[in-house]
Amino acid sequence: MNSSRLRVLFVTSEAYPLVKTGGLGDVCYALPNALRQLDVDVRLLLPGYSEVLERLSLVEVHDSINVYPLLEPIRLLVGIMPGEITPVYVIDCPSLYQRDGGPYQDITGKDWDDNAVRFGVLSKIAALFGEHRFLFKPQIIHCNDWQTAITPAWLAFSDQAHAKTIMSVHNMAYQGIFEAETVGRIGLPPESFNMFGLEFYGKLSFLKAGIYYANQITTVSPNYAKDIQTPNYGCGLNTLLTERQYKLTGILNGIDSKVWNPETDIYLNRNYSVRNISAKVRNTQALRNKLNLANSKQVPLIGMITRLTEQKGIDLVIPIIPMLIKTGVQIAILGSGDKTLEMHLQRLEARYPKQVSVTIGYDEQLSHKIEAGANMFLMPSKFEPCGLNQMYSMSYGTIPIVRRTGGLADTVTDATPENIQNKIATGFIFERSNANELLHCIERAVKIFHNKEIWKQLQITGMTRDFSWQKSAKQYISLYHHSINTI
Ligand code: ADP
Ligand code: GLC
């Protein structure tokens, strides 16, 4: 092991292409890759879900550990990320992770009853790495979201802690809150359970533990770092975050140009770039055919790819669809989640089969086809820590329509007359979470869509913006060094 290289264990409950439910999976693939390119020895730690074990390359047994007396001994496996060189440690414990369903929920969409133990074990093993119990001895344990967030607590109470902790918050709305008795069940020190620790209104909060005990806290955009210090967005932890402001940094996510690049994207009907944007139209035609939408060239096609949750503002879209159809647009939605939202969307598709397409489910391939084929991309989020699809959209010449919140506000430049004139506009922004404002914003976009010259300029400006991970990865490295050098 070259001892001068920075050693980082990146702990996560999902990482593309092994397992992904949303942006966390994309980030936990792309950021470690960007860090490795900057010579950081970064390795991943993940739960051994069946799909992870199936997809990982070159798997070997690394160690065997007894974490809890009532749990079978756990095998720690090590493999390689497919198509990459990043080592991935996997926790092989079939009773916890090998089940039919998703990483967090069963097939009916209900959270697994034993999530506290499933992710308690993930956090515990990360803490053991931080105590240098294994061959790989990281200087930093980089935790991502609540599923990994009690690692900093364990290390704060350990007299063997040899690593510093970074807690990255990708979404404040998911905190991992469990009954108080969970503290004993997963073996946390009882003295940690008070308001100056893990306790959150009488319950155990994984995310609060991370924020409370980590050496550094990050979130995924500068604007969201400000948002979460306010009662509206802080989900009950805003006061703690304000107290921790001195160690809270907002670092903007990037996009992985190997996976999301219209010039090389393997899922497209026709590759294109800023030098031949006109070829994009082939993808629009193919998408219309695939989704059985009317072949109306003059009508803009709006795409949306999303988890169907309250966060994403789909409840603003549903009531205005009839008006939008009259305005002259088509909509292609891909998503899954809330069953009531799914049903409302399917009804709209049945009502307007040639203008509205709704695909319920998770489909990586279709998501790329929508990014390339759509003319506009809708993200009317109530809150958005960063958001990746608006950046994918801009780099695909697909103009985003977003609400001014979190990372959407940090990444999209509104097409005001002044910004258009200065050639810095990349999308359309509305302010308040309100269906009327959204409707007016879409109408504004449709109007400009018919002005070919301005539209092309918006596409060029978005497609030539730098959304790469380089700059952000360097910010993480500075933070790692800062943590290592601070007591
Ligand atoms: P979030 O993480 O809150 O869901 P992001 O914009 O950060 O939002 O990232 C969402 C990621 O998940 C993107 O890569 C998007 O394409 C993908 N995604 C979301 N829903 C689906 C779906 N139903 N099928 C395929 N990909 C999806
Ligand atoms: C979360 C957020 C999203 C962010 C993603 C990756 O799921 O909702 O805004 O882009 O994490 O950081």
Side-chain angles (χ1 to χ4, degrees), residues 23-24 27 145 170-171 220 253 307 311-312 384-388:
L24 176 68
V27 171
D145 272 351
H170 297 261
N171 199 326
V220 288
N253 285 335
R307 291 182 294 114
Q311 171 188 350
K312 301 294 180 177
E384 196 60 75
C386 179
L388 298 173

Side-chain angles (χ1 to χ4, degrees), residues 195-197 208-218 229 237-249:
M195 68 179 284
F196 303 107
K208 183 179 172 207
I211 292 172
Y212 198 89
Y213 292 108
N215 296 101
Q216 289 290 327
I217 307 153
T218 70
Q229 295 179 53
L237 292 175
N238 44 295
T239 311
L240 175 61
L241 284 159
T242 308
E243 276 167 30
R244 294 286 189 273
Q245 203 180 65
Y246 66 98
K247 48 163 115 170
L248 168 64
T249 320

Side-chain angles (χ1 to χ4, degrees), residues 233 381-382 402-405 414 429-434 437-438 441 444:
Y233 295 95
S381 308
K382 301 241 159 44
V402 306
R403 190 168 96 76
R404 193 185 300 283
T405 183
D414 192 23
I429 307 188
F430 67 103
E431 301 290 331
R432 279 170 307 169
S433 187
N434 156 321
E437 282 203 26
L438 171 61
C441 190
R444 185 158 64 93

Side-chain angles (χ1 to χ4, degrees), residues 289-364:
N289 287 342
K290 184 176 171 62
L291 302 177
N292 286 320
L293 292 170
N295 216 342
S296 350
K297 278 195 195 128
Q298 299 313 313
V299 168
L301 174 55
I302 305 183
M304 194 168 180
I305 304 163
T306 185
R307 291 182 294 114
L308 294 174
T309 63
E310 207 201 319
Q311 171 188 350
K312 301 294 180 177
I314 189 85
D315 56 321
L316 304 185
V317 181
I318 290 169
I320 63 171
I321 285 185
M323 272 91 88
L324 286 176
I325 302 302
K326 271 196 210 132
T327 312
V329 302
Q330 294 179 330
I331 305 189
I333 300 177
L334 165 64
S336 66
D338 184 294
K339 300 290 165 218
T340 315
L341 294 174
E342 289 181 358
M343 189 191 69
H344 281 301
L345 289 171
Q346 281 171 320
R347 277 197 197 145
L348 285 161
E349 180 189 47
R351 196 163 148 201
Y352 305 107
K354 288 288 163 196
Q355 278 83 29
V356 177
S357 155
V358 173
T359 309
I360 301 297
Y362 185 89
D363 187 337
E364 190 73 28

Side-chain angles (χ1 to χ4, degrees), residues 74-134:
I74 286 172
R75 289 192 319 162
L76 186 64
L77 309 178
V78 62
I80 303 284
M81 194 60 130
E84 302 291 337
I85 51 164
T86 313
V88 183
Y89 295 99
V90 171
I91 303 168
D92 184 26
C93 183
S95 68
L96 292 184
Y97 305 125
Q98 291 187 30
R99 306 173 173 181
D100 290 339
Y104 316 117
Q105 295 166 334
D106 64 20
I107 34 177
T108 68
K110 186 176 156 294
D111 285 353
W112 295 112
D113 286 337
D114 57 349
N115 271 347
V117 176
R118 299 173 73 239
F119 296 113
V121 166
L122 173 63
S123 302
K124 179 72 189 178
I125 292 185
L128 296 179
F129 269 99
E131 291 181 340
H132 288 184
R133 303 277 197 99
F134 307 112

Side-chain angles (χ1 to χ4, degrees), residues 11-33:
V11 192
T12 173
S13 56
E14 54 182 274
Y16 174 88
L18 300 172
V19 49
K20 167 179 161 185
T21 68
L24 176 68
D26 287 350
V27 171
C28 293
Y29 168 76
L31 175 56
N33 282 349

Side-chain angles (χ1 to χ4, degrees), residues 5-190:
R5 279 178 84 195
L6 194 56
R7 299 181 305 277
V8 177
L9 184 74
F10 203 87
V11 192
T12 173
S13 56
E14 54 182 274
Y16 174 88
L18 300 172
V19 49
K20 167 179 161 185
T21 68
L24 176 68
D26 287 350
V27 171
C28 293
Y29 168 76
L31 175 56
N33 282 349
L35 291 167
R36 285 195 88 80
Q37 273 169 19
L38 295 168
D39 204 33
V40 177
D41 182 0
V42 56
R43 306 184 185 193
L44 266 69
L45 175 67
L46 273 165
Y49 317 115
S50 311
E51 64 262 53
V52 168
L53 296 173
E54 277 156 27
R55 291 174 190 161
L56 202 64
S57 318
L58 304 171
V59 183
E60 292 170 10
V61 179
H62 190 72
D63 231 305
S64 182
I65 329 145
N66 269 309
V67 179
Y68 296 125
L70 293 180
L71 204 64
E72 71 231 57
I74 286 172
R75 289 192 319 162
L76 186 64
L77 309 178
V78 62
I80 303 284
M81 194 60 130
E84 302 291 337
I85 51 164
T86 313
V88 183
Y89 295 99
V90 171
I91 303 168
D92 184 26
C93 183
S95 68
L96 292 184
Y97 305 125
Q98 291 187 30
R99 306 173 173 181
D100 290 339
Y104 316 117
Q105 295 166 334
D106 64 20
I107 34 177
T108 68
K110 186 176 156 294
D111 285 353
W112 295 112
D113 286 337
D114 57 349
N115 271 347
V117 176
R118 299 173 73 239
F119 296 113
V121 166
L122 173 63
S123 302
K124 179 72 189 178
I125 292 185
L128 296 179
F129 269 99
E131 291 181 340
H132 288 184
R133 303 277 197 99
F134 307 112
L135 213 56
F136 179 57
K137 302 191 188 323
Q139 295 151 291
I140 295 286
I141 309 289
H142 189 151
C143 304
N144 291 278
D145 272 351
W146 75 264
Q147 294 86 351
T148 63
I150 45 177
T151 307
W154 260 307
L155 287 173
F157 284 90
S158 160
D159 51 12
Q160 299 293 316
H162 297 297
K164 297 293 176 62
T165 50
I166 307 283
M167 180 72 239
S168 285
V169 181
H170 297 261
N171 199 326
M172 283 301 297
Y174 302 96
Q175 300 195 359
I177 294 178
F178 300 97
E179 295 305 322
E181 77 240 12
T182 317
V183 174
R185 211 166 130 218
I186 60 178
L188 282 159

